[in-house]
Structures are given as C-alpha cells and as structure tokens.
Amino acid sequence: MSITPLMPVYPRCGVRPVRGEHCHLISEDGTRYLDFASGIAVNLLGHSNEHLIGAIQRQAATLMHVSNLYGSPQGEHLAQRLVDLTFADTVFFTNSGAEAVECAIKTARAYHQHVGNTDKYELITFKNAFHGRTLATISASNQEKMHHGFLPLLEGFKYVDFDDLEGAKAAIGPNTAGFLVEPIQGEGGIRDASEEFLKGLRALCDEHDLVLIFDEVQCGVARTGTLYAYEQYGVTPDVMATAKGIGGGFPVGACLATEKAARGMVIGTHGSTYGGNPLAMAAGEAVLDVVANPEFLAQVNATGERLRGRLEQFIGNYPDMFELVRGRGLMLGVKMKIEPRPFVAHMRDNHQLLTVAAGDMTVRILPPLVIGDAEIDEFMDKLSAAAASYSVESPAT
Ligand SMILES: *Cc1c(COP(=O)(O)O)cnc(C)c1O
C-alpha cells in the first residue's frame, strides 16, 4: 500500500508542530518557528492563552456535548452576545467556515422560497473567491483548480469580477437571490473591496429585494481592527458567515442573519449534530471576552499600523522582489514580483518564519492578534535575513 494513513490531499511541508507557546510553534525536532500564519487566521490569542485554555478545560470537565434537541443556555448566551455586537438578530452555530457559508447559502435560498419568489435561487459570487471545500462552497467559487474531479457542480452560482459593481449589476437576472462576497478576499490575495463596491451591492439588494451575504470567515473576529470588517465599510449584510478566529483554535463557525433574511430558516430546515455544543460555545465566549472590546481592537489597529509601516519601509530595499503591502489591521498581504510560494518556503525552512502564500502573487501575514513589538522586531529580522539570503542565493524563480 502506498497511500498514507492521512489522506494525501495537502502538500504538507517538513514542519511538524507539537507545541505552541504564545506566538511561536515548536516542531517535533525542537525547532522554534515564529508563527505569522496563525493556522490561517485562527489562533487570534496565540497558542497558549490561559483564558482560552481555562475556559475549555472547565467546560470539558462540566459538559462537552449535548444534542441540539435540548435547550442550550450556552448557545443562547453566545448567540445573544453576537447579536448585541453585530447587525444580526439570529445565529446558527457550525463547526467550520464552509458550513457557515453553506448555511448562509441555504438561508438566502430559503428566504426567497418563503416569500414566494420561487425562481430566485442563484447567488452572484466573485472571481478568485474562496468559500470552503464542500460541494456548494466550491461551486460558489470560479476557481477551477478546486472543481477538478468533482463535477457536476451545484447549480445556482454566477461569477463576476471582484470589486466590479457594474458587472455585478449586469449579472442580476430573474433567478438572482443575492450576492455572496468576501469584503476582503483572503485566499485570493488580501484584496479588499472598495467601499463604493460594497455600498453598491447593498443598494442593489435593497432595490431588488436580494440577500447580501458577507463571507467574513477570514477577515472577521477582530482581524482587521474592528470586530467585523463590514463595520469599516459602513455597510451591513443580511447574512454573514464567520469562523476561523472565533474559536481561537477550537472548531467553531456561525451563520448570522437578520430576522428578515432568516425568515425561511424555520424548524426542520437545517441542523448540525455538533454545531454550538457547550465546549465550542465556551471557546467562542473566551475569544470574545478578549477581542470584543474597544481597547483590544484599538491595539490591533495600532499594531497593524506599526507592522505595515515597517513592511512598507522594508520592501523598498528589494524593489525586484516586492511590489506593495495591502490589507487592514493584522490581515496583511505583501504582493510580490516573483512567485511567492518558494519564498514562503525559504522563510519557513531557512529562517523559521511562518507565513502563508495566497493568490495574486501574495504572501499573507496573519499573526496572532496579541503580537507586540518583540514579535514585530523578530518578524522584521527574519524577513530581512530571508530576503537578503534569497536574493543572493536564488534570484527570481
Ligand atoms: C477558510 C475560509 C472558508 C472555509 O472555512 P473552513 O473552516 O476551512 O471550512 C470560507 N471562507 C473564507 C473566506 C475562508 O477564508
């Protein structure tokens, strides 16, 4: 047998973390890495946050899981907090981002079915989006590399250019149910939508009674310096998917919706065995305790600005390698002029610095939100050393 016990769907690298300490990961062989990837925007509080660990330990010892057939004081409490903190009136908890997006898609379809628009099932989505790896969520993305081998796709998605309001408007037809969009594309390369674009989508939804869904799985939960990115645009969605950071490393996701948009999501229409179980709720509560306050958010903004300033200054030293810095808060991307993947591997293998490659020639910089000047200094030292050794040893690949 040559297949590995772990289904070989990931191109796993040689780093084999066995322990985490604040903003560092320690590999099986003892090597220490600076983690500016955070499990892809997940470990908001770093790796050994006592508040999060304590909350999970206490809840694990009290009650881990019960069925959604019973009342959920834990779920009600976290849902109420999210309702109080956001545009939403109601919340469905999931175990992942894709499930949260899946619930959002169902919510939009169910809304139109419920109000009698029986032919409105199609969502307009945006090129280079990433919404997850289930059949519905790969169908929602135009990226063919995710479709290969899995056809036929789910019907009901139409792709138009990201940040192109005229294109989005022109795509509206008799079957259109709404728009599904990442306010800031993550996998697509840390590309933030313009305010004009998101405001325009909001206006189109209001005009045509369409559902506006934001996928904030990557950009949400304080990552960009506000609890959710939409706050910075002055636009509220009707439905929003959140996950990644919300459990701080424990699998938690949620689909948030207004009362109006959730009209079709009535008893029996949706479910999840694990979704919203007490252990997951304890993790979500602990993360919100830390991040959902103005001082913490101000700190994310200030830290993000310092890091961005340092990066912008630095890339000027290597005009052949780096093009620009973009993003918001601590969701930053460095667009490169050369292939980013080999450079990400070089930083990792030769300088013990973890980042993540993304589309559009971009390196994603997604540190834990709790970094301070010590981590920024260490990051800049490693990045400088990596750029110096890369340009000497292996010019543009
Ligand atoms: C990661 C991601 C998802 C999928 O989340 P999973 O937890 O991997 O299912 C969906 N949307 C966006 C924007 C993401 O970044």
Side-chain angles (χ1 to χ4, degrees):
M1 208 182 307
S2 65
I3 195 164
T4 48
L6 271 180
M7 196 181 276
V9 296
Y10 280 105
R12 292 176 188 273
C13 69
V15 180
R16 298 167 64 81
V18 289
R19 201 166 73 248
E21 286 174 8
H22 195 47
C23 300
H24 290 85
L25 284 174
I26 294 99
S27 197
E28 212 171 37
D29 64 4
T31 312
R32 206 176 158 83
Y33 295 87
L34 179 66
D35 185 8
F36 270 41
S38 309
I40 314 190
V42 171
N43 306 98
L44 303 189
L45 310 182
H47 292 285
S48 48
N49 181 272
E50 282 180 12
H51 183 63
L52 179 59
I53 294 169
I56 291 173
Q57 283 178 338
R58 274 191 305 279
Q59 190 60 49
T62 308
L63 180 65
M64 268 192 244
H65 174 82
V66 291
S67 167
N68 280 310
L69 295 172
Y70 306 118
S72 174
Q74 306 86 359
E76 282 166 10
H77 194 266
L78 184 57
Q80 184 64 55
R81 271 179 98 176
L82 288 169
V83 164
D84 291 343
L85 289 163
T86 67
F87 73 96
D89 302 311
T90 191
V91 180
F92 182 87
F93 288 110
T94 69
N95 314 291
S96 67
E99 286 171 273
V101 176
E102 183 93 18
C103 179
I105 295 166
K106 286 181 73 173
T107 301
R109 286 191 176 190
Y111 168 77
H112 288 291
Q113 293 302 310
H114 189 84
V115 301
N117 300 331
T118 49
D119 47 1
K120 292 193 192 293
Y121 59 85
E122 188 176 79
L123 288 172
I124 295 169
T125 67
F126 298 90
K127 290 185 187 163
N128 298 313
F130 181 79
H131 298 298
R133 293 293 201 133
T134 64
L135 278 167
T137 54
I138 62 172
S139 303
S141 172
N142 76 315
Q143 294 193 55
E144 284 176 10
K145 62 175 193 246
M146 297 195 292
H147 299 164
H148 190 72
F150 300 113
L151 303 180
L153 296 179
L154 181 71
E155 271 180 61
F157 297 96
K158 194 188 267 184
Y159 320 123
V160 305
D161 285 337
F162 182 66
D163 215 27
D164 173 9
L165 184 59
E166 284 314 306
K169 185 175 178 179
I172 296 174
N175 302 124
T176 305
F179 297 103
L180 165 60
V181 63
E182 294 161 90
I184 303 167
Q185 286 193 338
E187 306 291 317
I190 315 290
R191 296 171 64 211
D192 56 338
S194 63
E195 192 171 312
E196 184 192 23
F197 174 64
L198 294 185
K199 285 198 163 142
L201 294 183
R202 177 70 271 169
L204 288 170
C205 287
D206 293 341
E207 188 184 334
H208 299 280
D209 191 25
L210 305 177
V211 180
L212 183 59
I213 305 170
F214 283 175
D215 179 347
E216 290 221 22
V217 170
Q218 193 157 155
C219 62
V221 203
R223 174 61 52 191
T224 66
T226 46
L227 189 59
Y228 285 96
Y230 74 79
E231 297 166 45
Q232 293 173 45
Y233 287 93
V235 177
T236 57
D238 303 302
V239 180
M240 180 178 78
T242 182
K244 288 200 164 91
I246 198 167
F250 194 86
V252 188
C255 173
L256 284 68
T258 62
E259 181 169 16
K260 180 184 177 202
R263 251 180 226 180
M265 299 303 278
V266 298
I267 287 172
T269 53
H270 198 48
S272 166
T273 297
Y274 291 135
N277 84 13
L279 191 54
M281 298 299 92
E285 294 271 4
V287 169
L288 284 191
D289 290 343
V290 179
V291 308
N293 72 70
E295 296 77 39
F296 187 87
L297 294 166
Q299 185 198 307
V300 172
N301 273 311
T303 312
E305 258 163 49
R306 284 206 303 284
L307 178 56
R308 191 192 182 113
R310 298 273 300 266
L311 275 169
E312 270 167 355
Q313 200 176 25
F314 165 78
I315 65 169
N317 301 332
Y318 296 92
D320 297 337
M321 284 179 78
F322 305 109
E323 186 169 333
L324 50 84
V325 181
R326 60 188 170 196
R328 294 173 186 232
L330 286 170
M331 183 178 189
L332 294 172
V334 177
K335 184 168 162 134
M336 298 192 66
K337 291 182 178 166
I338 55 175
E339 263 309 313
R341 275 179 180 75
F343 184 61
V344 166
H346 171 71
M347 288 191 283
R348 179 189 72 217
D349 296 337
N350 301 320
H351 298 275
Q352 292 73 51
L353 172 59
L354 305 179
T355 58
V356 205
D360 197 31
M361 303 280 277
T362 302
V363 177
R364 274 180 286 179
I365 295 161
L366 303 166
L369 303 184
V370 294
I371 56 166
D373 285 327
E375 287 79 20
I376 294 183
D377 288 345
E378 185 182 346
F379 171 76
M380 291 309 305
D381 288 349
K382 287 183 184 303
L383 177 63
S384 309
S389 58
Y390 199 69
S391 54
V392 172
E393 283 166 22
S394 41
T397 34

